[in-house]
Amino acid sequence: MATFTYRTAFVSAAVTYGIVVYKAFRARARQAKGQQAPIGMVADENVHYLIMAFVWLFSKQTPLAILPFAVYSIFHVATYTRSNLLPTLQPQPQAQQNQASGAAGANAVKAQSALSESIGRFVKDYYDMSMTLVAMLEIGLWFRLLGSAILFQKGSWIQLIIYTIFFRVRHSQSNFVQHAITNLVARADAQLANQSTPPAVRQVWEQVKNTVRAGAEATDINRYVRQAQAQPKKAQ
């Protein structure tokens, strides 16, 4: 039962993100008239989550991987309900006609408006907190995969490599991930600054930070793009 639930969750996630990516691709293709539309989709985080949904679907079960998708799904459902379902169930023009014809129509309009406002308020009030939670879950998931890789569990190194690439892209695009990492590093620095911490431990921690920082700078695609754009064009 647990396996069925796990696979079903990621099948649903793959279908959902697949629909979103397809719609975004069609919109970009129309705007660009088919030119460079696939290239523009590469930077879309929905594409990244679609890929990861398939990775989790066809690899060894990692229950923690479900949680970020679960948080996103709450906001996807809320936004879809507010933007699509409510207008479909109670079209505004018809509602206005009903409002003019009687009290029942007025109550229907008020009910729809109240529900829509409640959903909008929920998304606004809890979005930032939820995205911070997602960032923390994704950081925890990386350490979970690292632990599995250290223990040489089957397929763990492949998962870790793929997820590290995904997480590096997430870090470059998400302020929430950047802030979460900054806060975690600051907490670790504060703990290790204690005089009771052996100097060797602090030295290892500094080496780890320097190595990660160098790796992040070396894999910063945006930096290379900016450098390429800054180069003067050759005269033709």
Side-chain angles (χ1 to χ4, degrees), residues 59-227:
S59 60
K60 183 180 177 180
Q61 292 188 37
T62 307
L64 182 58
I66 295 178
L67 298 183
F69 286 90
V71 175
Y72 274 121
S73 68
I74 294 173
F75 288 91
H76 288 166
V77 171
T79 302
Y80 181 82
T81 300
R82 185 169 185 256
S83 303
N84 299 92
L85 281 183
L86 291 181
T88 300
L89 296 176
Q90 188 70 46
Q92 190 64 25
Q94 184 64 37
Q96 292 175 350
Q97 294 175 7
N98 292 339
Q99 184 179 18
S101 63
N107 292 334
V109 172
K110 290 180 180 179
Q112 179 190 358
S113 177
L115 180 56
S116 179
E117 289 179 2
S118 297
I119 295 174
R121 191 162 50 248
F122 169 82
V123 172
K124 180 179 179 180
D125 291 345
Y126 292 99
Y127 182 81
D128 286 356
M129 181 180 67
S130 299
M131 294 304 101
T132 300
L133 174 61
V134 168
M136 297 300 296
L137 289 171
E138 290 177 339
I139 293 172
L141 179 56
W142 187 88
F143 282 103
R144 165 66 176 81
L145 295 176
L146 177 63
S148 298
I150 292 175
L151 296 176
F152 290 97
Q153 295 181 1
K154 183 178 180 181
S156 58
W157 279 101
I158 296 177
Q159 283 186 327
L160 179 62
I161 292 172
I162 295 175
Y163 186 76
T164 299
I165 296 173
F166 164 80
F167 189 75
R168 177 65 187 92
V169 176
R170 283 281 293 148
H171 178 269
S172 67
Q173 293 181 334
S174 172
N175 291 330
F176 295 103
V177 174
Q178 295 172 12
H179 292 161
I181 291 178
T182 299
N183 291 336
L184 288 176
V185 171
R187 291 182 181 181
D189 287 339
Q191 291 291 332
L192 295 176
N194 195 307
Q195 293 182 354
S196 62
T197 303
V201 174
R202 287 199 292 267
Q203 184 177 3
V204 169
W205 172 239
E206 291 299 326
Q207 291 176 350
V208 169
K209 288 197 299 182
N210 292 334
T211 301
V212 172
R213 189 177 296 112
E217 292 177 356
T219 56
D220 185 3
I221 299 178
N222 294 328
R223 180 166 65 94
Y224 295 112
V225 172
R226 289 192 297 268
Q227 290 178 353

Side-chain angles (χ1 to χ4, degrees), residues 18-54:
I19 294 172
V20 172
V21 169
Y22 174 72
K23 289 183 176 180
F25 175 79
R26 291 190 61 184
R28 288 172 182 259
R30 285 195 296 267
Q31 293 176 358
K33 296 182 179 180
Q35 298 178 359
Q36 296 183 344
I39 298 178
M41 295 297 296
V42 173
D44 191 339
E45 71 171 9
N46 291 313
V47 174
H48 308 154
Y49 277 101
L50 174 62
I51 294 172
M52 289 308 304
F54 280 112

